[in-house]
Amino acid sequence: MNKTREQFHLGIAGACGRGMSFRAACDALPRVRVHAVCDIDAGALPATAKFLGASEQYTDYDEMLEQSDLDGVIIATPMPLHASQAIAALDRGLHVFSEVPAAVSVEECRGIVQATGASGRVYMMGENYTYIRENVLVKALVKAGHFGTPYYAEGEYLHELKGYDEHRLAARGLPPEQVWRRHWQSGIDGITYGTHSLGPILQWFDDRVAYVTCHGSGHHYLDAEGRPYAQDTSVMLCKMAGGGLAKIRMDLTSDRPHALTNYQLQGTDGCYESARGKGQPFRVWLKSRCADENTWMDLHELEEEFLPDWMGAAAAKGAGHGGSDYHELVEFIEAADGRRKPSIGLHEAMDMTLPGLVSQQSIAENGRSLAVPDSRDW
């Protein structure tokens, strides 16, 4: 990065889709300038460039990296492109902020680790569910000791996507294999999109997953071509290196209301259960705060005392994902400037990504317990 430059020149790949949602976060950071945008949708690119304030636009990612004067990139493209695009940027000496998951194979994860080490640049993964208000508050309570020792947790991501896929198949006239969600998310057995559920839990445990076992509930839905989707519900049991246990459920095909942020946490001195639907409570029981063993309290009653001050930043209010896009981008820029370590840096990103990838092998082997590699050893 050019340390003498006042502004951080940012390039956004996948700018016409997810990348557009970073506008509010970028606008709120005076040091950040969206210098270049890239997307294969050439027709939408000029309007996107204007919307984001970019002076350069590209339909070829490698061309953007080669020609544009950038300090870092946001990778907001489909998940099978994340690793290769991250590695290409790191190889050119750029800082990388990648959407989730980091990669779609263990081999790709190794490539990211090697490229980051060789480049000396910052790699950060944008797992925005770790910035959800309630998840941040639970993390603060754990850190303050109110849960005692956490030893069990649950995370669920239940998001029916069949109509989403089939609408795009029909609208674009594409074969199913060219619609990335149909293959990479709802076409592979196992936990293909698990970082939203696992990410906050790993921060609560302050640990990594050592072993996983995964089973599925069967194939009960067909796509427009008559082909079965992946197993409806996949459940991954995660044995932590420190001995704790977490259960991750992912379901992208079952007909039901969405429930993307279901969590539970159990510790020696407290437990937490998130709301499972609109209007339901986020409830917590803490030995240190509750009257007896049968009395829950509303988690939000503890915000004033325990929620970190940075969560109240006014600039976050207009940013995407409830302000998460702002908070994670602040971390990325400060890390690139050498002022802090990102909370989801290289190895934390691998810790959140690798268990799901190993689960896909476990489910193929009838739930065999498999070790999850530790990227720190690569």
Side-chain angles (χ1 to χ4, degrees):
M1 184 184 72
N2 183 351
K3 292 183 179 298
T4 63
R5 181 156 56 202
E6 287 187 14
Q7 289 188 313
F8 187 96
H9 281 199
L10 190 61
I12 301 180
C16 296
R18 163 68 173 133
M20 290 182 68
S21 63
F22 284 98
R23 175 186 168 177
C26 291
D27 287 350
L29 296 170
R31 173 133 159 66
V32 173
R33 178 175 183 270
V34 179
H35 183 70
V37 291
C38 179
D39 203 284
I40 61 172
D41 189 348
L45 200 51
T48 298
K50 182 177 180 180
F51 177 77
L52 291 169
S55 57
E56 297 178 4
Q57 50 188 287
Y58 300 87
T59 56
D60 184 279
Y61 179 72
D62 289 330
E63 184 179 326
M64 180 180 77
L65 297 185
E66 186 174 325
Q67 296 185 11
S68 190
D69 182 19
L70 300 176
D71 298 307
V73 294
I74 291 177
I75 297 174
T77 50
M79 55 192 276
L81 301 177
H82 293 174
S84 62
Q85 291 182 336
I87 291 168
L90 291 163
D91 286 347
R92 286 171 171 82
L94 302 180
H95 300 287
V96 170
F97 178 92
S98 174
E99 277 292 352
V100 301
V104 294
S105 73
V106 175
E107 292 72 23
E108 286 187 343
C109 288
R110 287 182 182 273
I112 294 171
V113 172
Q114 292 166 359
T116 303
S119 72
R121 294 299 188 253
V122 169
Y123 175 91
M124 178 175 170
M125 190 176 76
E127 180 37 76
N128 46 46
Y129 278 41
T130 64
Y131 298 90
I132 290 175
R133 195 174 191 85
E134 292 79 15
N135 291 344
V136 172
L137 181 52
V138 170
K139 180 181 176 180
L141 289 166
V142 170
K143 186 176 180 180
H146 288 283
F147 280 86
T149 301
Y151 59 84
Y152 178 75
E154 296 184 11
E156 295 182 332
Y157 187 83
L158 315 177
H159 189 188
E160 190 273 312
L161 289 174
K162 299 191 301 299
Y164 183 100
D165 289 329
E166 292 179 8
H167 168 72
R168 280 154 179 76
L169 289 173
R172 299 182 185 179
L174 296 175
E177 59 271 15
Q178 291 186 25
V179 178
W180 69 271
R181 286 186 188 271
R182 175 64 185 92
H183 177 73
W184 294 103
Q185 287 190 342
S186 57
I188 298 174
D189 290 339
I191 305 297
T192 58
Y193 197 62
T195 67
H196 287 336
S197 299
L198 183 60
I201 289 171
L202 291 183
Q203 292 193 335
W204 299 341
F205 274 90
D206 191 21
D207 204 351
R208 59 171 293 272
V209 178
Y211 292 91
V212 299
T213 181
C214 186
H215 284 281
S217 61
H219 305 81
H220 295 94
Y221 298 91
L222 303 178
D223 65 16
E225 302 294 321
R227 303 184 310 179
Y229 284 93
Q231 298 207 39
D232 318 307
T233 282
S234 290
V235 172
M236 173 175 68
L237 288 180
C238 303
K239 188 67 175 176
M240 300 292 172
L245 183 67
K247 183 184 79 172
I248 305 299
R249 177 189 174 193
M250 187 195 76
D251 190 325
L252 303 179
T253 59
S254 292
D255 292 333
R256 53 158 296 136
H258 296 175
L260 312 184
T261 56
N262 292 344
Y263 299 98
Q264 292 190 34
L265 178 65
Q266 180 67 56
T268 54
D269 295 327
C271 59
Y272 164 65
E273 294 183 357
S274 66
R276 295 188 63 87
K278 189 174 181 179
Q280 294 184 2
F282 293 82
R283 59 184 192 172
V284 63
W285 178 86
L286 302 173
K287 188 180 294 185
S288 60
R289 295 298 177 110
C290 295
D292 56 58
E293 65 274 13
N294 293 312
T295 303
W296 295 88
M297 66 183 300
D298 190 319
L299 176 70
H300 297 108
E301 293 178 21
L302 299 168
E303 280 192 9
E304 184 174 352
E305 185 176 356
F306 291 100
L307 194 68
D309 291 341
W310 56 264
M311 280 294 291
K317 292 181 179 178
H321 291 88
S324 294
D325 290 351
Y326 170 81
H327 295 307
E328 59 190 7
L329 202 58
V330 167
E331 279 199 32
F332 175 59
I333 300 303
E334 290 184 352
D337 286 344
R339 289 184 281 153
R340 65 171 298 167
K341 289 183 64 177
S343 60
I344 311 177
L346 175 64
H347 295 300
E348 292 82 7
M350 298 301 112
D351 290 342
M352 294 178 187
T353 298
L354 283 165
L357 297 175
V358 176
S359 82
Q360 295 165 31
Q361 183 63 35
S362 173
I363 199 171
E365 297 185 27
N366 197 30
R368 186 162 72 92
S369 180
L370 297 174
V372 177
D374 187 346
S375 61
R376 298 160 188 82
D377 297 332
W378 290 345

